[in-house]
Amino acid sequence: MCSHVAALPASPETPHDVCTHCRALGWTWTGLRWCAACGHVGCCDSSRGQHAYAHHARTGHPVVLSLAPDEPWAWCFVDEVFLVRDL
């Protein structure tokens, strides 16, 4: 069970379509994750930079949503669970 599910938004508000950290370094990324607490967009754990996790580690923000249109889920770093969301 996730103690953060109540704060989960239905969908991101106009997210970026790039990982700005990777772009600045000239890197590519695999998937993008949107922070449900502040809207930060970072690359996924399968990407070189793992910037979504780095954001969580720095801020403590618990939940990210996948920005892939075919991935209607979120991940809670704190409780280590996937959360399926309505689209």
Side-chain angles (χ1 to χ4, degrees), residues 38-73:
C38 72
H40 173 270
V41 174
C43 59
C44 70
D45 286 355
S46 298
S47 297
R48 182 178 180 183
Q50 300 179 347
H51 291 114
Y53 179 78
H55 175 74
H56 157 70
R58 186 175 62 257
T59 64
H61 295 165
V63 178
V64 291
L65 282 68
S66 172
L67 290 181
D70 61 339
E71 296 179 348
W73 55 261

Side-chain angles (χ1 to χ4, degrees), residues 3-81:
S3 58
H4 308 97
V5 71
L8 187 63
S11 64
E13 295 178 18
T14 321
H16 298 285
D17 59 353
V18 300
C19 175
T20 56
H21 304 289
C22 284
R23 178 193 271 171
L25 294 167
W27 297 350
T28 57
W29 53 89
T30 302
L32 296 173
R33 307 295 181 245
W34 182 78
C35 176
C38 72
H40 173 270
V41 174
C43 59
C44 70
D45 286 355
S46 298
S47 297
R48 182 178 180 183
Q50 300 179 347
H51 291 114
Y53 179 78
H55 175 74
H56 157 70
R58 186 175 62 257
T59 64
H61 295 165
V63 178
V64 291
L65 282 68
S66 172
L67 290 181
D70 61 339
E71 296 179 348
W73 55 261
W75 173 255
C76 180
F77 288 111
V78 175
D79 297 319
E80 296 184 342
V81 295

